[in-house]
């Protein structure tokens, strides 16, 4: 059966994302929009509007045309939003790059997306410059200056010269984040202006904020969760975002207390830390009205423990990059059911489909969650096969997540069809780590699985068949030198044989079940 949202439909205007989010920025003037917590450096709404227009004007002076792609490789700093919306105002498409990526990974995304320009920061120029050169990027801009790149102040054009091109919001791309999706290696997720505007409206309808509220900007803006739920939603509503360029738990607590943060969007590891870390007792967290956990499932018992300790409402939501990302959330006016991901957002439909079929699962039984709505992507960039695998002809997005629904327990995510590992909310593709392992001359075969971990949720664990004597630490160091920190293998076991099917496919589930049995035992 098709489940419909319990909320009334919302109207989605035909407008570009930047014009929608920054519609009132100029008149908000000196109201703080973004604050760098460690330094106190503040970008007001008026300054943000001028910066975005200056960025857009500067890009157009350099020949940027509607539809051109521009990369951003940076931590959460106030200027990030200026670059992001400037690119969008000029008609460009943002490809936001994981700030932990290696040089090779940055180069791959720049090359794959066809990026013409790149915004970054001085601390990342050692990766950004060679990656940009390898990918054929025309010019690199440093938000804080830096040798070898054009300083932000020097690339800006006159804000009044910005020309906002006429675009069709339903087809023009504004964001091109990269996701491993449901099929393995990272792919460009094509999100239109309409996709993103729709998700801001849908999310704000269920979780509205007041203009004077202060939000914690600790989710990275390169990740679609931080991009939509924090940056776009908060700036549209007139909130203030207080951010950390690099997450530190005690700095996070200090930021809440000092800036009187009212809402925090987090990932499960932070909820776990709030439940257990002794430092929590040293800070006044009473300003927090609500904390929303997403990016990975969170146990109901941890929800309750954190809520009791912090003295606030803890709830979960659900989404995926391919849905801009939010599809489920708990309305602020309704009680939260522990462990539930909330209700379907307005204008959103869902099905629970029996695994391996296109038939609906029996009521109350688990099945793959399918989503349909205006926030669903148009497809994967230059990858028709992956698009057909994930998005069907009727507009249903096959999430690869196993869900259940009943009236008492609500919507719940109980498992995953896809083979991705969720390490602290980040997606890690086992196939990529296996490929790196197989580069080592002593490795004959390899299989990487998600292993349960209390703090991280899941960690990448490798099973390796060696063709020559090799130490576990040596192999883990080999991989760590070639991948981003969150992608590192955290456990490794040498075994005699990797289980495979008759066709030669890795039987990952066999090793997963073996690992679960070992943990339980």
């Amino acid at each position: 059966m098709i489940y419909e949202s319990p909320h009334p439909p919302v109207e989605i205007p035909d407008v570009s994302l930047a014009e929608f989010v920054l519609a009132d920025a100029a008149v908000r003037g000196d109201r703080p929009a973004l604050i760098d917590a460690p330094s106190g450096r503040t970008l007001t709404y008026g300054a943000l509007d001028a910066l975005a227009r200056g960025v857009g004007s500067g890009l157009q002076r350099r020949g940027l045309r509607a539809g051109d792609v521009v990369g951003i490789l940076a931590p959460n700093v106030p200027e990030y939003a200026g670059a992001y919306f400037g690119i969008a105002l000029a008609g460009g498409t943002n490809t936001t790059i994981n700030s932990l990526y290696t040089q090779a990974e940055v180069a791959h995304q720049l090359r794959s997306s066809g990026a013409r320009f790149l915004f970054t920061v001085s601390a990342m120029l050692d990766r950004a410059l060679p990656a940009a050169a390898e990918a054929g990027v025309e010019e690199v801009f440093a938000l804080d200056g830096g040798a070898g790149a054009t300083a932000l102040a020097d690339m800006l054009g006159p804000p009044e010269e910005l020309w906002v091109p006429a675009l069709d919001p339903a087809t023009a791309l504004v964001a091109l984040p990269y996701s491993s999706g449901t099929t393995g290696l990272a792919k460009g997720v094509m999100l239109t202006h309409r996709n993103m505007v729709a998700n801001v409206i849908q999310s704000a309808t269920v979780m509205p904020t007041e203009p004077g509220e202060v939000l914690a900007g600790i989710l990275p803006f390169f990740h679609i969760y931080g991009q939509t739920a924090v940056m776009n939603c908060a700036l549209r509503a007139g909130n203030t975002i207080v951010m950390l360029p690099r997450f530190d738990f005690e700095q996070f607590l200090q930021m809440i207390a000092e800036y009187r943060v009212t809402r925090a969007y987090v990932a499960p590891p932070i909820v776990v830390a709030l439940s257990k870390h002794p430092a929590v007792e040293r800070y006044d967290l009473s300003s927090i009205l609500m904390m929303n956990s997403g990016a990975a499932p969170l146990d109901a018992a941890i929800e309750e423990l954190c809520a009791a300790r912090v003295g606030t409402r803890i709830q979960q939501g659900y989404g995926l990059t391919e849905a801009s990302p939010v599809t489920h959330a708990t309305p602020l006016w309704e009680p939260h059911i522990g462990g539930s991901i909330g209700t379907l957002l307005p204008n959103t439909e869902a099905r629970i489909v029996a695994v391996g079929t296109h038939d609906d699962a029996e009521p109350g039984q688990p099945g793959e969650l399918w989503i349909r709505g205006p926030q669903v992507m148009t497809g994967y960039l230059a990858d028709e096969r992956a698009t057909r695998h994930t998005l069907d002809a009727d507009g249903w997005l096959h999430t690869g997540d196993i869900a259940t629904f009943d009236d008492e327990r609500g919507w719940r995510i109980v498992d995953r069809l896809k083979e991705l590992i969720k390490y602290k909310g980040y997606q890690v593709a086992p196939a990529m780590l296996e490929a790196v392992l197989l580069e080592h001359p002593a490795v004959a075969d390899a299989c990487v699985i998600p292993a349960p971990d209390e703090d991280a949720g899941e960690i990448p664990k490798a099973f390796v068949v060696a063709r020559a004597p090799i130490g576990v630490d040596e192999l883990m160091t080999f991989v760590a030198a070639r991948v981003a920190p969150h992608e590192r293998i955290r456990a490794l076991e040498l075994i005699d044989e990797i289980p495979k099917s008759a066709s030669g496919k890795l039987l990952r589930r066999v090793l997963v079940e073996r690992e679960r049995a070992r943990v339980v035992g």
Side-chain angles (χ1 to χ4, degrees), residues 186-348:
K187 299 169 289 295
V189 177
M190 298 190 292
L191 299 175
T192 67
H193 289 266
R194 182 174 177 81
N195 289 150
M196 300 288 277
V197 168
N199 211 221
V200 171
I201 295 173
Q202 292 169 308
S203 300
T205 300
V206 175
M207 296 182 291
T209 59
E210 296 298 323
E213 289 199 45
V214 180
L215 274 68
I218 58 170
L219 294 173
F221 290 162
F222 68 74
H223 193 289
I224 194 66
Y225 182 15
Q227 203 172 120
T228 295
V230 180
M231 186 172 72
N232 291 341
C233 283
L235 294 177
R236 165 67 183 180
N239 304 142
T240 297
I241 303 171
V242 184
M243 64 190 71
L244 293 175
R246 179 179 177 277
F247 182 77
D248 176 87
F249 186 65
E250 288 223 31
Q251 278 191 322
F252 169 57
L253 299 175
Q254 182 179 345
M255 181 181 79
I256 293 174
E258 180 179 348
Y259 288 96
R260 307 304 293 162
V261 171
T262 59
R263 305 204 191 194
Y265 292 83
V266 300
I270 296 176
V271 182
V272 172
L274 286 167
S275 304
K276 302 179 179 181
H277 201 291
V280 172
E281 307 297 340
R282 300 199 295 270
Y283 295 89
D284 177 9
L285 309 182
S286 61
S287 61
I288 291 283
L289 303 174
M290 185 275 287
M291 192 170 294
N292 188 87
S293 179
L298 178 66
D299 184 74
I302 297 294
E303 273 187 31
E304 295 172 6
L305 187 62
C306 183
R309 192 176 191 211
V310 178
T312 191
R313 175 185 173 116
I314 308 290
Q315 64 186 47
Q316 294 190 59
Y318 171 80
L320 62 167
T321 306
E322 290 81 355
S324 302
V326 190
T327 66
H328 292 70
T330 301
L332 292 179
W333 56 87
E334 292 183 3
H336 176 62
I337 303 172
S340 165
I341 58 172
T343 61
L344 285 164
L345 294 191
N347 302 47
T348 305

Side-chain angles (χ1 to χ4, degrees), residues 420-424 426-430 432-433 437 447-453 456-463 476 479 483-493 515:
L420 295 174
I421 299 165
K422 278 291 187 77
Y423 175 77
K424 295 186 175 180
Y426 290 106
Q427 294 180 341
V428 181
M432 180 270 294
L433 292 177
L437 280 166
C447 182
V448 177
I449 69 164
D453 181 85
E458 293 176 345
I459 60 171
K461 177 173 180 177
F463 291 86
M476 293 175 68
V479 175
V483 300
H486 69 280
E487 295 169 326
R488 293 175 182 173
I489 290 172
R490 308 285 163 167
L492 191 146
E493 184 176 335
E515 185 68 12

Side-chain angles (χ1 to χ4, degrees), residues 67-154:
D68 285 349
V69 176
V70 181
I72 306 180
L73 172 69
N76 284 12
V77 293
E79 292 79 11
Y80 196 114
Y84 181 92
F85 292 114
I87 294 164
L89 282 170
T93 301
N94 286 278
T95 189
T96 52
I97 306 170
N98 188 326
S99 59
L100 299 178
Y101 269 3
T102 64
Q103 177 185 317
E105 290 172 317
V106 173
H108 166 74
Q109 184 166 334
L110 292 172
R111 186 170 51 249
S112 169
S113 65
R116 289 188 59 189
F117 304 100
L118 174 66
F119 286 87
T120 188
V121 293
S122 57
M124 296 179 182
L125 285 172
D126 59 339
R127 286 174 286 152
L129 290 173
E134 182 182 338
V137 168
E138 297 173 25
E139 191 172 0
V140 177
F141 312 114
L143 298 176
D144 57 346
T150 304
L152 178 65
D154 295 331

Side-chain angles (χ1 to χ4, degrees), residues 461-503:
K461 177 173 180 177
F463 291 86
V464 171
V465 177
R467 69 171 79 248
I470 185 71
V472 166
D473 290 343
E474 181 181 345
L475 280 175
M476 293 175 68
T477 300
F478 176 83
V479 175
R482 291 161 173 78
V483 300
H486 69 280
E487 295 169 326
R488 293 175 182 173
I489 290 172
R490 308 285 163 167
L492 191 146
E493 184 176 335
L494 296 171
I495 59 176
D496 294 329
E497 184 181 14
I498 303 293
K500 296 180 180 179
S501 69
S503 63

